Amino acid sequence: MPSPNILHLCSIKGRGGTGYMAGRLARLCADRGAKVMVGACPGSKIMERSQAAGLPILAGLRLRRGFRPWSLCNDIKRIRACIREEKINIIHAWHSIEYWTAALALMGMPENQIGLVRTRGLMTPVRAGYFNSFIHRRTAFVHVTCSRILELYREGGFEMKKVRLILDGVDTKKFHPRVSGSAVRKAAGIPSDAIILSSVGRLEKVKGHATLIAAVKLL
C-alpha cells in the first residue's frame, strides 16, 4: 500500500497542547514515510517548528476566525490547489476553523479519494445542526481524546461509527516509575520525602488550575 499524502491544518498561533500535538504527529507521520505538508497561520509556533523539522509548508493560509469571507475564500482556493498539486489524500484538521474550511474545500471532490480527519480535544458540547451534520457526513474519521468528548458526540446526535476514542500516548522510555526526580527536587529545594502534585497546562481558566488548588487545600 503506498504511503499517504497528508495535509495537517492547525490554526493555533501560540503555545498549547493542540499545536504541539499537531506538529508532533506531522513529524511522526513524515518519519514513517508519509508525504506530509503543514498548513498553519503565519508566524505560529507550529509553523516555526515544522519549518525547523524540514516539513513543507502550505503558504498563503490565514485560517482567521469570525465572518471573513475573503479570507475564507482564499484559504479554500489554496487548499484545493494543494490537493491537486500535491495529490493529497488525507486532510487532518485540528480546530473548528480549519475543519469547516477543509470541508468546504472538499465540496465536489470524491470522498473515496480524499479523507477528512478531525481531532477534537475540546470539552464543549457540539450539536448535530445542519452545518455540523453536513461536515460530519463528509468526515471520514473523528478522533476524540477522552471518553467525555465521545459522550458529547453521542449526546449531540451524531453518527457514532465515525467517532473513535484514542487516548494521548506517553513515551514510556522517558516517563516510567523508575525515573528519578532527585534533580528536580534539588533544583526546586523540595525535600526527598515530600509529596509533589503537579499540573501541566497553560495558565487559563479552562485548564482548571483553581480547582486543583481548591482540591489540594482539602488534603
Side-chain angles (χ1 to χ4, degrees):
M1 183 177 178
S3 298
N5 295 345
I6 307 172
L7 172 61
H8 284 273
L9 297 175
C10 184
S11 61
I12 300 298
K13 293 183 178 180
R15 299 181 185 277
T18 301
Y20 173 80
M21 290 301 296
R24 172 72 171 160
L25 184 59
R27 294 192 297 274
L28 288 173
C29 289
D31 290 344
R32 282 156 178 77
K35 180 181 177 181
V36 175
M37 291 194 73
V38 175
C41 299
S44 62
K45 284 292 180 183
I46 182 175
M47 180 176 284
E48 176 185 310
R49 290 167 177 160
S50 298
Q51 288 174 325
L55 295 178
I57 302 297
L58 173 55
L61 291 182
R62 291 294 178 265
L63 300 175
R64 300 176 71 184
R65 301 181 185 279
F67 182 68
R68 302 177 186 276
W70 292 115
S71 179
L72 176 62
C73 289
N74 170 77
D75 288 349
I76 290 172
K77 182 179 178 181
R78 293 293 303 122
I79 291 170
R80 289 180 69 91
C82 177
I83 291 171
R84 291 192 301 269
E85 294 165 7
E86 304 296 334
K87 296 179 172 57
I88 298 296
N89 45 39
I90 297 175
I91 297 180
H92 192 151
W94 289 81
H95 262 221
S96 295
I97 182 62
E98 53 267 37
Y99 185 36
W100 302 337
T101 304
L104 292 172
L106 289 172
M107 289 183 67
M109 294 188 175
E111 294 185 33
N112 61 344
Q113 295 180 20
I114 308 167
L116 175 59
V117 177
R118 163 76 151 118
T119 289
R120 186 176 179 88
L122 295 175
M123 298 284 288
T124 52
V126 54
R127 301 298 178 193
Y130 177 80
F131 196 56
N132 283 340
S133 295
F134 159 75
I135 296 177
H136 193 73
R137 285 194 299 271
R138 185 58 181 84
T139 302
F141 179 83
V142 178
H143 155 222
V144 298
T145 57
C146 72
S147 58
R148 179 55 187 148
I149 302 175
L150 187 71
E151 289 303 313
L152 288 172
Y153 267 91
R154 183 173 287 111
E155 292 168 7
F158 287 91
E159 181 185 7
M160 293 304 294
K161 69 179 183 180
K162 293 185 175 183
V163 186
R164 293 290 184 273
L165 169 63
I166 304 176
L167 300 175
D168 287 339
V170 175
D171 184 348
T172 55
K173 292 182 179 179
K174 186 179 294 186
F175 302 102
H176 54 81
R178 295 181 300 280
V179 171
S180 173
S182 58
V184 175
R185 289 176 180 272
K186 183 177 180 181
I190 300 172
S192 59
D193 58 348
I195 296 174
I196 300 175
L197 298 175
S198 65
S199 176
V200 179
R202 64 186 187 276
L203 292 175
E204 293 187 16
K205 185 178 180 180
V206 68
K207 294 301 181 181
H209 299 293
T211 303
L212 174 63
I213 292 170
V216 170
K217 183 179 178 181
L218 297 178
L219 297 176

